[in-house]
Amino acid sequence: MIMLEKVKEAAEYLINNGIGEAKVGIVLGTGLEKLVEHISITKSISYKEIPHFPESRMDLHSGQLIFGTLAGKKVLAMKGRYHFYEGHNLQEVTFPVRVLKLLGVETLLLSNACGSVNPDYEAASLMIIDDHINMLPGNPLIGVNYPEFGPRFIDMSQPYDAELISKIEAIAKKEKIKVHKGVYVAWMGPSLETRAEYRFIKTMGADVVGMSTVPEVIVARHMGMKVAAISVITDLCDPDRLKPLDIDEVLNNAAIAEKKMTKLFLGLVEEL
Ligand code: HPA
């Protein structure tokens, strides 16, 4: 079966099983799933049950597509995402984004955890993604193009919506939350970067590095969605002072930053 048909089947299954249409889609990254607690949930379906969704390698509580109301708006939220490093190809990683579009999503908000190579960024702070560099070994649009989904060649001069970025900045100012704005590079993983790689990442013009988001943004733009994304900085990756990864510290920073990120997303959804 061609991908176009698979996406349609998955969307049809969801509609027939209590998932409704929404204009706002949200992708919640690892350790950043508490926004879900603010959603008044109408229906939640495990990725495992959805036809053609890739086999889920996430933990038990993740891997749910949630339909409900957040800040007065109907939303579709992905609790947990697929990663390239889990062994999915980039078309599989981005399959749910295509399904979201068929369920009516016009604006896609994404979150992720990342390491910072910018010395001005603090641990547990936030960065609005202003631009990205795709360093994954591929692109989700490689292969047959279905004009029904989008054009063969897509513009990437401004993948992250300027108006949404301004809105997030205004909300952050009002809520007294410090936000940076910068460049995210997608790295293959799952091994973390070496000192030489962080040095390279810095040199190439990135502020932070993570293992997700970019493929989803490419597909969202292919399908004509507006995109905004927030990175939470879980570890500082100065190549000249690199400490071994402390996973407890990473999780702790994610938890601190998550509260701020949730506020920004709530504020933004209210305004959409
Ligand atoms: N590198 C890549 N991905 C990450 C990091 C990092 O330092 N921290 C959290 N996700």
Side-chain angles (χ1 to χ4, degrees), residues 19 69 76 188:
I19 296 277
T69 309
L76 284 158
M188 178 162 51

Side-chain angles (χ1 to χ4, degrees), residues 2-4 91 98 140-147 149-150 152 222:
I2 62 169
M3 196 246 287
L4 180 84
Q91 289 192 354
R98 297 202 181 276
L141 305 184
I142 289 172
V144 179
N145 185 64
Y146 303 106
F149 282 163
R152 172 79 286 186
H222 184 237

Side-chain angles (χ1 to χ4, degrees), residues 154-262:
I154 60 160
D155 173 63
M156 275 284 161
S157 58
Q158 195 162 51
Y160 301 84
D161 190 80
E163 214 176 297
L164 293 176
I165 290 175
S166 303
K167 281 196 162 97
I168 297 171
E169 287 179 309
I171 296 160
K173 202 170 164 199
K174 207 177 93 201
E175 298 277 355
K176 298 193 169 57
I177 295 169
K178 185 168 179 189
V179 282
H180 304 284
K181 191 164 71 174
V183 175
Y184 175 99
V185 57
W187 208 258
M188 178 162 51
S191 52
L192 275 101
E193 296 74 29
T194 63
R195 285 167 295 156
E197 285 166 343
Y198 283 129
R199 213 166 277 125
F200 172 46
I201 285 164
K202 226 171 146 172
T203 308
M204 75 168 73
D207 297 290
V208 301
V209 52
M211 301 172 192
S212 67
T213 307
V214 167
E216 292 140 321
V217 170
I218 292 171
V219 164
R221 293 302 302 144
H222 184 237
M223 300 193 83
M225 295 181 222
K226 281 188 193 171
V227 171
I230 297 178
S231 289
V232 319
I233 293 146
T234 55
D235 46 314
L236 301 180
C237 309
D238 178 346
D240 298 318
R241 269 175 295 178
L242 193 64
K243 287 187 269 174
L245 181 76
D246 179 345
I247 197 71
D248 290 331
E249 201 179 315
V250 165
L251 293 175
N252 189 40
N253 286 334
I256 295 168
E258 179 180 39
K259 294 193 183 81
K260 299 184 271 183
M261 187 207 83
T262 301

Side-chain angles (χ1 to χ4, degrees), residues 24 27 33-34 40 55 59 64 72-73 100 104 108 119 124 131 142 147 170 191 206 208 222 245-246 250 254 257 267:
V24 181
V27 181
E33 294 160 348
K34 284 225 171 84
S40 155
E55 188 194 326
D59 72 44
Q64 300 275 333
K73 304 275 156 48
L100 288 184
L108 189 65
D131 207 345
I142 289 172
S191 52
V208 301
H222 184 237
L245 181 76
D246 179 345
V250 165

